[in-house]
Amino acid sequence: MDLHHTPTAAVQTYSPELRALLFGYTLQLADTSLILGHRLSEWCGHGPILEQDLAMANIALDLIGETRSLYQYAAELEGKGHSEDDLAYLREAVDYKNPLLVELPNGDFGDTVMRQFLFDGFHLFLLKELQNSPDPGLAAIAAKSFKEASYHLKWSSEWIIRLGDGTEESKRRIQKALANLWRYSGELYTMTQTEQQLAQSEFIPDYATLQPQWDAHVARVFAEATLEVPQNVFMQQGGKTGRHTEHLGYLLTELQYLQRAYPGLEW
Amino acid sequence: METIIEKSLEEAFEEKIANEVRIEPKDWMPEQYRKTLVRQISQHAHSEIVGMLPEGNWITRAPSLKRKAILLSKVQDEAGHGLYLYSAAETLGTSRDQMIADLHSGKAKYSSIFNYPTLSWADIGAIGWLVDGAAIMNQVPLIRTSYGPYARAMVRVCKEESFHQRQGFEIMMTLCNGAPAQKKMAQEAFNRWWWPTLMMFGPKDEESPNTEQSMRWKIKRFTNDELRQRFVDMMVPQAEFLGLTVPDKDLKWNEAKNGYDFGDVDWEEFWNVVKGNGPCNKDRISTRVKAHEEGAWVREAALAHAQKRAQREAEKQGS
């Protein structure tokens, strides 16, 4: 029998160092999809039109579904008997490892679409490669989320084009969103130590190989949307090493409220 | 001449109603039948949309990832119900824009139950269990309602509502089997939602102006009081099973009628909330208006872009 066939069997063959690296990485992916899913869920009931309320809730649901699989797998890698909810609800902001982009407030619909678009391309191209990871746990989750992520990128790309090539007002707003958010896109591709080590042992792709696909897609969509990419922007970093914006603490206060107020109960 | 044609049309309509044949959008129907349906279906659609707000209030604070996903998907279903119901109403010759304008101006009503606030997580359980339970009781007969598009929309709506009710009951059960603080939360939510839920069946039969005609046209199949009684008879044993106390000192089993006697609803409160004085009426409408106004530029952009595309397409074909 192939020991690597199931995630659980594979995890048992890993060295403690490798498990720790994979744990940290899986947690980072889970934090990222949770925080973005949470942000999108804030739109529920407040969207610009019913159909888009539904679309944003759909994407949020996909991301939360992915989050759950990732935290469950992270808990297994960690091997301390934690649950998905322990990992989501009982960690401090500084322990969260999501990139800054996904924790930024929703702003207007244009800001939300832009944040989503910058993330979706990265997410899709990463998942595409992760499906081939020698780690069966990550590969299985990536395979499941890949299809959903391609729908997300289609949705956000179409909206970038609609808003960019729509009215004067929509163009002004989406161009402004791009000017504000572009500086958070660099962090997606900056590899942490954990990511570098996993890439060296080929468990995850080297992000430098993903970026050209993203660059090409983003350039094509911005051109069609008649948007200008800001030049010479200083790229903000920090979320992936726990140095967040001030926004994350408030988000977690809300998200974690019941688990913190009533520790150790079943809901 | 015209009156003779009208008369025969009306007879054909009445015959269909009598024979349980569905009325379809292109069929002739009395103006009052059309009006009653537009009022009822749009009110129903608005209730789904406004109803997203009290529950949406807890999506970001749901106590586990599983609960968060279930709640988000439930509220999303309500948006979907709103969509099919608006579409069903549109078959009667009104537009979604018009219906939304009527909601925002206060001309159209929605279910008063959504004018109450969700104060704790247990309210999410109570809404699923009680409010969706009452909605099902009101809505299942609508699967047999005489207007085809409405009846068909209700088949889908009811299927999803029963899943919603189960998840509400499950939240209540988890709380009632949990720590004392959770049980207290559940009882308090039950106390808050019980009476407003009984109001969801509408005024007493003798004070319900639309019931008689609606029953005759088979838009409605049971009276308000009939449905209210059924609901109480169904829910009291469930409350007992959960270990919750029904907040009604007059509640008593009546062997002779094989049902419960129960106290009178506070009708003054009922009419007050209908008139706009409930705890959340103003908030709910201003939240909807705000979302609509802030979304105007998005809708305009989508329209402008679609027009540009169509124009370019036409130019391409012309050249």
Side-chain angles (χ1 to χ4, degrees):
Chain A
M1 199 190 118
D2 181 3
L3 272 180
H4 290 261
H5 190 63
T6 67
T8 308
V11 167
Q12 275 152 16
T13 67
Y14 293 159
S15 68
E17 294 75 22
L18 179 58
R19 273 175 80 147
L21 283 173
L22 283 169
F23 168 64
Y25 183 66
T26 308
L27 204 56
Q28 178 192 321
L29 294 182
D31 291 346
T32 305
S33 52
L34 174 61
I35 300 303
L36 186 58
H38 181 98
R39 279 294 188 219
L40 278 176
S41 79
E42 293 172 359
W43 271 102
C44 189
H46 308 273
I49 188 167
L50 204 43
E51 285 80 351
Q52 298 315 315
D53 229 311
L54 280 159
M56 285 189 281
N58 247 334
I59 299 173
L61 275 167
D62 287 344
L63 289 169
I64 291 166
E66 184 183 347
T67 301
R68 294 188 63 195
S69 305
L70 286 164
Y71 278 136
Q72 285 163 14
Y73 184 49
E76 190 173 337
L77 285 161
E78 186 193 30
K80 289 185 180 166
H82 284 140
S83 69
E84 60 182 76
D85 290 329
D86 294 338
L87 295 176
Y89 288 84
L90 301 176
R91 284 157 56 237
E92 303 294 331
V94 290
D95 300 323
Y96 265 70
K97 297 292 158 59
N98 58 279
L100 299 173
L101 177 70
V102 299
E103 71 197 42
L104 299 174
N106 287 338
D108 69 14
F109 183 73
D111 296 317
T112 293
V113 163
M114 184 58 73
R115 183 185 65 197
Q116 195 64 35
F117 175 67
L118 296 175
F119 174 75
D120 285 342
F122 166 76
H123 191 210
L124 181 71
F125 300 131
L126 174 62
L127 290 174
K128 191 172 150 206
E129 296 304 319
L130 276 182
Q131 295 180 84
N132 305 318
S133 169
D135 177 59
L138 281 177
I141 296 168
K144 190 175 167 292
S145 297
F146 175 71
K147 266 186 223 141
E148 297 168 349
S150 46
Y151 161 75
H152 303 168
L153 182 61
K154 184 170 180 289
W155 179 84
S156 58
S157 302
E158 286 172 1
W159 271 107
I160 294 287
I161 294 166
R162 253 179 229 128
L163 298 178
D165 186 22
T167 61
E168 252 173 63
E169 181 180 10
S170 68
K171 167 117 190 225
R172 180 181 57 74
R173 285 182 186 250
I174 197 72
Q175 184 69 62
K176 190 172 155 214
L178 175 55
N180 285 335
L181 294 173
W182 185 250
R183 64 199 154 113
Y184 296 100
S185 64
E187 187 186 13
L188 300 172
Y189 292 97
T190 308
M191 294 180 83
T192 61
Q193 267 189 356
T194 300
E195 286 169 325
Q196 285 170 18
Q197 283 174 279
L198 285 171
Q200 272 156 23
S201 49
E202 297 185 344
F203 273 87
I204 68 169
D206 183 334
Y207 291 176
T209 65
L210 306 177
Q211 192 154 10
Q213 301 175 66
W214 184 86
D215 285 342
H217 180 79
V218 165
R220 187 185 67 70
V221 171
F222 285 159
E224 199 176 337
T226 70
L227 294 179
E228 278 164 40
V229 177
Q231 299 298 318
N232 303 319
V233 174
F234 179 82
M235 288 291 175
Q236 293 292 330
Q237 313 275 344
K240 285 159 77 169
T241 52
R243 302 202 171 181
H244 290 279
T245 65
E246 290 175 345
H247 304 295
L248 185 65
Y250 293 95
L251 185 155
L252 291 178
T253 302
E254 199 172 328
L255 184 134
Q256 298 180 336
Y257 148 66
L258 277 166
Q259 291 274 356
R260 298 284 192 181
Y262 302 93
L265 302 185
E266 289 293 318
W267 298 91
Chain B
M1 187 66 186
E2 208 165 62
T3 50
I4 296 173
I5 295 173
E6 270 234 332
K7 200 175 166 205
S8 67
L9 286 170
E10 184 151 9
E11 272 165 13
F13 171 83
E14 292 293 349
E15 201 176 298
K16 279 187 193 159
I17 296 285
N19 295 327
E20 304 277 335
V21 176
R22 289 265 162 80
I23 306 301
E24 296 298 335
K26 290 199 171 114
D27 295 347
W28 184 91
M29 60 189 85
E31 212 32 50
Q32 199 52 41
Y33 177 85
R34 187 185 296 275
K35 269 193 191 151
T36 304
L37 277 167
V38 169
R39 181 180 55 79
Q40 186 172 332
I41 303 174
S42 66
Q43 190 168 319
H44 191 164
H46 298 327
S47 301
E48 297 283 357
I49 301 308
V50 177
M52 293 170 74
L53 300 175
E55 290 180 281
N57 184 37
W58 281 88
I59 291 172
T60 55
R61 291 178 290 171
S64 71
L65 293 176
K66 185 178 145 203
R67 292 287 180 213
K68 193 182 189 68
I70 293 174
L71 181 59
L72 180 55
S73 121
K74 176 181 193 282
V75 179
Q76 190 200 25
D77 283 348
E78 284 154 14
H81 297 172
L83 263 186
Y84 344 130
L85 287 162
Y86 282 129
S87 304
E90 281 180 324
T91 64
L92 292 157
T94 177
S95 69
R96 204 209 292 184
D97 284 346
Q98 183 57 52
M99 290 184 269
I100 289 173
D102 289 345
L103 171 70
H104 293 175
S105 72
K107 190 178 157 208
K109 301 279 177 224
Y110 55 91
S111 180
S112 280
I113 193 77
F114 302 119
N115 290 319
Y116 290 87
T118 49
L119 301 182
S120 79
W121 171 250
D123 292 47
I124 299 306
I127 289 184
W129 173 44
L130 297 172
V131 174
D132 291 326
I136 291 169
M137 197 127 274
N138 271 328
Q139 291 170 8
V140 165
L142 292 175
I143 292 176
R144 296 192 297 123
T145 197
S146 56
Y147 186 58
Y150 192 22
R152 288 188 286 276
M154 291 318 296
V155 174
R156 247 177 111 175
V157 171
C158 287
K159 222 180 264 169
E160 290 173 350
E161 289 295 350
S162 62
F163 152 74
H164 295 170
Q165 200 205 2
R166 270 204 304 280
Q167 69 86 34
F169 186 76
E170 210 215 325
I171 291 175
M172 292 306 271
M173 192 139 94
T174 308
L175 295 175
C176 289
N177 292 331
Q182 288 172 303
K183 197 157 182 189
K184 178 167 171 275
M185 208 184 267
Q187 180 67 53
E188 284 170 355
F190 186 43
N191 295 348
R192 278 196 300 275
W193 289 92
W194 174 254
W195 290 107
T197 306
L198 294 190
M199 296 177 198
M200 282 175 71
F201 297 96
K204 280 193 242 195
D205 290 348
E206 59 264 33
E207 283 159 33
S208 173
N210 302 314
T211 293
E212 198 194 328
Q213 181 63 73
S214 287
M215 298 274 290
R216 240 171 24 80
W217 277 334
K218 296 184 182 166
I219 293 174
K220 245 174 130 162
R221 297 276 178 170
F222 299 98
T223 71
N224 296 350
D225 286 333
E226 279 167 358
L227 290 171
R228 192 166 10 247
Q229 178 71 50
R230 278 194 192 190
F231 180 77
V232 171
D233 292 344
M234 184 178 90
M235 297 318 270
V236 171
Q238 293 185 18
E240 281 168 359
F241 178 82
L242 289 170
L244 295 173
T245 308
V246 180
D248 178 359
K249 59 179 174 32
D250 298 320
L251 185 84
K252 215 173 99 196
W253 177 253
N254 180 334
E255 195 65 51
K257 76 170 185 187
N258 197 30
Y260 285 92
D261 290 331
F262 54 97
D264 205 14
V265 168
D266 180 348
W267 294 110
E268 199 183 317
E269 176 179 325
F270 172 82
W271 289 113
N272 239 324
V273 181
V274 170
K275 281 179 203 145
N277 300 323
C280 299
N281 296 57
K282 295 228 163 23
D283 282 351
R284 298 292 185 237
I285 288 299
S286 63
T287 302
R288 285 310 314 158
V289 170
K290 182 167 181 271
H292 191 72
E293 284 175 355
E294 288 179 356
W297 71 274
V298 177
R299 298 190 299 276
E300 284 158 16
L303 200 65
H305 180 72
Q307 283 163 351
K308 282 185 190 175
R309 270 201 120 103
Q311 200 179 345
R312 277 178 217 144
E313 211 43 51
E315 278 164 15
K316 227 194 278 169
Q317 291 191 352
S319 66

